[in-house]
Amino acid sequence: SWVESRLDEGKNVIDGTIKSLEINSGYYVRAYAIYQAAGMEEVGYTASHSIRTNSIENPSLGEVEVPSEKITRNSAELVGKIINNGNGSIIERGFCMSLVTNTYEPTLNNCDLSFKADESFVTVSTGLKYATEYAVRSYVVSEFESKKDTIYNGWRTCFYTKSINPPIFNNINVDE
């Protein structure tokens, strides 16, 4: 559909913007003009021009880091890494987690827990079970020309939450 067009009188120039084209697609475009000639209405066309719309370059993500000193019985700090921003805008960052007993790579559609991250791609996951192994992946939502796509890092990172240490009793005296 034409959003803007302009006919420059006397110079045979037509400017226009075409909207709603598919990403990474080819099109043939030609202009036309309706004019009067010898009392009759005529239509004239330009030659066709081949155009191709831009393609999406998705962001790429590195492996999730889970610093061991930031793991507790019920929480863990998660650190994501964006290697390449791609050619879209990153509008959301986050992590998806599942118990390692699940054999799939966690995604937002199948994970047990998900956490959004701040601009620095760091968050603290809370509500975890103690002495449990989790698998985590990072994700970003990228937007390019009104199309949104969720991109995940390649492989899950696994970690264990800490266990509860039972109290140790020394020198117990029992009186009878």
Side-chain angles (χ1 to χ4, degrees):
S1 65
W2 285 95
V3 172
E4 175 186 324
S5 63
R6 176 179 60 84
L7 179 59
D8 196 348
E9 295 294 328
K11 295 185 182 177
N12 294 329
V13 174
I14 299 173
D15 289 330
T17 301
I18 304 171
K19 292 279 191 179
S20 302
L21 300 178
E22 293 292 321
I23 295 171
N24 196 28
S25 297
Y27 294 91
Y28 293 100
V29 180
R30 66 182 185 167
Y32 71 94
I34 301 172
Y35 60 95
Q36 296 289 328
M40 297 179 58
E41 189 171 273
E42 298 284 337
V43 179
Y45 295 92
T46 63
S48 297
H49 295 280
S50 174
I51 62 170
R52 183 151 204 90
T53 56
N54 292 331
S55 62
I56 296 174
E57 179 187 331
N58 284 327
S60 57
L61 304 176
E63 187 175 342
V64 176
E65 293 179 28
V66 187
S68 60
E69 69 276 6
K70 303 283 183 149
I71 300 172
T72 69
R73 291 185 307 274
N74 60 4
S75 69
E77 182 179 272
L78 308 174
V79 181
K81 182 177 181 183
I82 298 173
I83 296 170
N84 176 340
N85 284 328
N87 62 353
S89 299
I90 294 176
I91 58 173
E92 184 179 316
R93 297 164 178 76
F95 301 91
C96 44
M97 296 174 60
S98 292
L99 298 174
V100 166
T101 54
N102 298 325
T103 58
Y104 51 81
E105 296 291 332
T107 68
L108 289 172
N109 295 328
N110 67 12
C111 67
D112 297 324
L113 300 164
S114 65
F115 302 93
K116 289 188 180 177
D118 60 17
E119 193 73 21
S120 63
F121 215 160
V122 176
T123 195
V124 175
S125 57
T126 57
L128 306 181
K129 297 176 184 177
Y130 68 90
T132 303
E133 188 176 18
Y134 286 93
V136 61
R137 289 174 77 193
S138 61
Y139 73 90
V140 295
V141 177
S142 179
E143 185 173 41
F144 180 76
E145 295 184 5
S146 302
K147 182 183 182 302
K148 293 180 184 176
D149 202 7
T150 303
I151 312 301
Y152 297 92
N153 74 305
W155 301 102
R156 63 188 182 170
T157 298
C158 298
F159 68 95
Y160 276 97
T161 52
K162 298 200 177 191
S163 61
I164 296 176
N165 296 328
I168 298 173
F169 298 101
N170 293 321
N171 301 326
I172 298 176
N173 294 323
V174 178
D175 291 333
E176 291 188 39

